[in-house]
Amino acid sequence: MSLKPHDRICLADLIGRDAVNTVVDEFYNKIQTHPTLAAPFSSVHDWPAHKEKIGDFWWVVLGGKPQTSYKYNPVGKHFAVGFNAKLLEDWKQLFKEVLDSHLDQELTNKWFSRVQMIGENLLTQNERLNNEN
Ligand code: HEM
Protein backbone atom coordinates (compact mmCIF):
# COMPACT_ATOMS: atom_id res chain seq x y z
CA MET A 1 0.00 0.00 0.00
CA SER A 2 1.43 3.37 -0.93
CA LEU A 3 0.93 6.58 0.98
CA LYS A 4 -0.91 9.43 -0.69
CA PRO A 5 1.25 12.57 -0.81
CA HIS A 6 -1.02 14.23 1.72
CA ASP A 7 -0.47 11.46 4.30
CA ARG A 8 3.22 12.28 4.40
CA ILE A 9 2.62 15.82 5.61
CA CYS A 10 3.04 15.68 9.37
CA LEU A 11 0.93 17.58 11.85
CA ALA A 12 3.84 19.90 12.62
CA ASP A 13 3.92 21.05 9.00
CA LEU A 14 0.15 21.43 8.80
CA ILE A 15 0.13 23.62 11.90
CA GLY A 16 3.42 25.43 11.29
CA ARG A 17 6.07 26.51 13.75
CA ASP A 18 4.71 30.05 14.07
CA ALA A 19 1.30 28.79 15.21
CA VAL A 20 2.94 26.35 17.65
CA ASN A 21 4.91 29.23 19.15
CA THR A 22 1.79 31.42 19.33
CA VAL A 23 -0.20 28.72 21.15
CA VAL A 24 2.64 28.09 23.61
CA ASP A 25 3.16 31.80 24.22
CA GLU A 26 -0.50 32.50 24.91
CA PHE A 27 -0.99 29.36 27.00
CA TYR A 28 1.85 30.22 29.39
CA ASN A 29 0.80 33.87 29.57
CA LYS A 30 -2.63 32.72 30.73
CA ILE A 31 -1.14 30.15 33.13
CA GLN A 32 0.58 32.89 35.09
CA THR A 33 -2.74 34.32 36.32
CA HIS A 34 -4.76 31.08 36.33
CA PRO A 35 -6.64 30.37 39.62
CA THR A 36 -5.17 26.88 40.18
CA LEU A 37 -2.21 26.62 37.79
CA ALA A 38 -0.35 29.84 38.64
CA ALA A 39 0.86 28.37 41.98
CA PRO A 40 2.64 25.26 40.64
CA PHE A 41 4.03 27.36 37.79
CA SER A 42 5.55 29.87 40.20
CA SER A 43 8.58 27.54 40.06
CA VAL A 44 9.27 28.85 36.55
CA HIS A 45 11.51 31.92 36.69
CA ASP A 46 12.67 32.24 33.10
CA TRP A 47 9.46 32.31 31.05
CA PRO A 48 11.10 32.99 27.66
CA ALA A 49 13.38 29.95 28.18
CA HIS A 50 10.43 27.80 29.34
CA LYS A 51 8.33 28.82 26.33
CA GLU A 52 11.17 28.10 23.95
CA LYS A 53 11.74 24.66 25.45
CA ILE A 54 8.05 23.73 25.40
CA GLY A 55 7.66 25.12 21.88
CA ASP A 56 10.36 22.73 20.76
CA PHE A 57 8.80 19.90 22.78
CA TRP A 58 5.46 20.29 20.97
CA TRP A 59 7.14 20.76 17.62
CA VAL A 60 8.81 17.35 18.01
CA VAL A 61 5.68 15.69 19.47
CA LEU A 62 3.76 16.91 16.40
CA GLY A 63 6.36 15.30 14.14
CA GLY A 64 8.75 18.20 13.44
CA LYS A 65 12.53 17.99 13.49
CA PRO A 66 14.09 19.09 16.81
CA GLN A 67 15.74 22.49 16.51
CA THR A 68 17.62 22.15 19.78
CA SER A 69 18.73 19.27 21.97
CA TYR A 70 16.97 19.82 25.26
CA LYS A 71 17.08 17.13 27.90
CA TYR A 72 13.66 16.53 29.45
CA ASN A 73 12.71 14.97 32.76
CA PRO A 74 8.96 15.57 32.70
CA VAL A 75 7.94 12.86 35.17
CA GLY A 76 10.35 13.99 37.90
CA LYS A 77 9.65 17.67 37.33
CA HIS A 78 5.88 17.28 37.41
CA PHE A 79 6.04 15.15 40.53
CA ALA A 80 8.14 17.86 42.20
CA VAL A 81 5.54 20.60 41.50
CA GLY A 82 2.56 18.59 42.78
CA PHE A 83 1.06 17.42 39.47
CA ASN A 84 -2.27 15.63 39.96
CA ALA A 85 -5.46 14.64 38.13
CA LYS A 86 -7.34 17.87 38.98
CA LEU A 87 -4.50 20.15 37.87
CA LEU A 88 -4.20 18.10 34.70
CA GLU A 89 -7.92 18.67 33.96
CA ASP A 90 -7.49 22.43 34.45
CA TRP A 91 -4.34 22.42 32.31
CA LYS A 92 -6.07 20.53 29.50
CA GLN A 93 -9.12 22.80 29.59
CA LEU A 94 -6.96 25.91 29.25
CA PHE A 95 -4.85 24.32 26.53
CA LYS A 96 -7.99 23.39 24.58
CA GLU A 97 -9.31 26.96 24.84
CA VAL A 98 -6.06 28.31 23.43
CA LEU A 99 -5.99 25.72 20.63
CA ASP A 100 -9.62 26.57 19.74
CA SER A 101 -8.81 30.25 19.46
CA HIS A 102 -5.92 29.71 17.01
CA LEU A 103 -6.53 26.59 14.95
CA ASP A 104 -9.39 25.05 13.01
CA GLN A 105 -11.34 22.22 14.59
CA GLU A 106 -9.50 19.42 12.82
CA LEU A 107 -6.04 20.60 13.80
CA THR A 108 -7.22 21.39 17.33
CA ASN A 109 -8.58 17.85 17.70
CA LYS A 110 -5.44 16.24 16.33
CA TRP A 111 -3.10 18.25 18.57
CA PHE A 112 -5.41 17.77 21.55
CA SER A 113 -5.44 13.99 21.14
CA ARG A 114 -1.65 14.07 21.69
CA VAL A 115 -2.21 16.20 24.79
CA GLN A 116 -4.63 13.53 26.07
CA MET A 117 -2.12 10.74 25.50
CA ILE A 118 0.78 12.52 27.16
CA GLY A 119 -1.45 13.65 30.03
CA GLU A 120 -2.62 10.07 30.70
CA ASN A 121 0.95 8.91 30.61
CA LEU A 122 2.17 11.60 33.01
CA LEU A 123 -0.66 10.74 35.38
CA THR A 124 0.19 7.03 35.38
CA GLN A 125 3.88 7.70 35.99
CA ASN A 126 3.06 10.27 38.65
CA GLU A 127 0.82 7.81 40.50
CA ARG A 128 3.59 5.25 40.35
CA LEU A 129 5.94 7.73 42.08
CA ASN A 130 3.23 8.58 44.64
CA ASN A 131 2.84 4.91 45.52
CA GLU A 132 6.56 4.54 46.08
CA ASN A 133 6.59 7.31 48.69
C1 HEM B 1 -0.61 16.99 29.10
C2 HEM B 1 -0.27 17.87 30.03
C3 HEM B 1 1.14 18.39 30.18
C4 HEM B 1 2.21 18.36 29.32
C5 HEM B 1 2.26 17.79 27.90
C6 HEM B 1 3.33 19.01 29.98
C7 HEM B 1 4.60 19.15 29.43
C8 HEM B 1 5.69 19.66 30.10
C9 HEM B 1 7.06 19.59 29.65
C10 HEM B 1 7.54 18.91 28.38
C11 HEM B 1 7.82 20.23 30.56
C12 HEM B 1 9.36 20.39 30.53
C13 HEM B 1 9.92 19.30 31.43
C14 HEM B 1 11.42 19.31 31.53
O1 HEM B 1 12.03 20.39 31.50
O2 HEM B 1 12.02 18.25 31.64
C15 HEM B 1 6.95 20.74 31.58
C16 HEM B 1 7.35 21.48 32.66
C17 HEM B 1 6.51 21.89 33.67
N1 HEM B 1 5.18 21.53 33.84
FE1 HEM B 1 4.07 20.48 32.54
N2 HEM B 1 2.93 19.45 31.22
C18 HEM B 1 1.60 19.08 31.39
C19 HEM B 1 0.83 19.31 32.48
C20 HEM B 1 1.21 20.03 33.59
C21 HEM B 1 0.38 20.28 34.76
C22 HEM B 1 -1.05 19.78 34.97
C23 HEM B 1 1.14 21.03 35.61
C24 HEM B 1 0.69 21.51 36.97
C25 HEM B 1 1.24 21.06 38.05
C26 HEM B 1 2.42 21.25 35.00
C27 HEM B 1 3.47 21.99 35.54
C28 HEM B 1 4.73 22.13 34.99
C29 HEM B 1 5.79 22.95 35.56
C30 HEM B 1 5.69 23.81 36.81
C31 HEM B 1 6.92 22.78 34.74
C32 HEM B 1 8.30 23.43 34.93
C33 HEM B 1 9.18 22.48 35.73
C34 HEM B 1 10.59 23.00 35.88
O3 HEM B 1 11.17 23.47 34.89
O4 HEM B 1 11.11 22.91 36.99
N3 HEM B 1 2.44 20.63 33.77
N4 HEM B 1 5.64 20.37 31.30
Side-chain angles (χ1 to χ4, degrees):
M1 193 186 87
S2 66
L3 287 173
K4 293 188 215 88
H6 127 137
D7 293 333
R8 285 190 227 114
I9 301 170
C10 68
L11 202 43
D13 289 331
L14 288 173
I15 293 171
R17 183 69 202 233
D18 286 352
V20 170
N21 288 349
T22 303
V23 166
V24 167
D25 190 52
E26 189 173 313
F27 177 69
Y28 288 110
N29 289 346
K30 287 181 184 277
I31 276 240
Q32 292 173 62
T33 56
H34 187 279
T36 62
L37 294 166
F41 276 90
S42 64
S43 67
V44 174
H45 297 298
D46 187 344
W47 282 103
H50 182 74
K51 287 173 175 174
E52 207 180 303
K53 185 177 198 178
I54 303 296
D56 213 55
F57 167 82
W58 280 118
W59 183 243
V60 174
V61 167
L62 298 171
K65 285 202 181 73
Q67 290 170 349
T68 45
S69 54
Y70 291 121
K71 296 266 177 292
Y72 296 98
N73 170 26
V75 177
K77 287 195 170 174
H78 286 102
F79 185 71
V81 297
F83 178 96
N84 61 35
K86 169 71 174 75
L87 289 172
L88 178 61
E89 280 315 308
D90 294 347
W91 192 105
K92 287 194 298 188
Q93 192 187 333
L94 181 63
F95 203 85
K96 179 80 166 52
E97 273 170 37
V98 176
L99 287 178
D100 277 332
S101 69
H102 290 285
L103 300 176
D104 67 30
Q105 206 180 358
E106 193 189 342
L107 291 177
T108 291
N109 291 345
K110 286 186 167 162
W111 186 342
F112 196 69
S113 76
R114 302 203 182 179
V115 169
Q116 300 272 38
M117 267 172 9
I118 298 171
E120 273 307 304
N121 199 270
L122 281 174
L123 201 54
T124 307
Q125 308 280 340
N126 194 66
E127 275 161 14
R128 202 162 287 160
L129 287 180
N130 263 323
N131 293 334
E132 280 170 13
N133 290 285

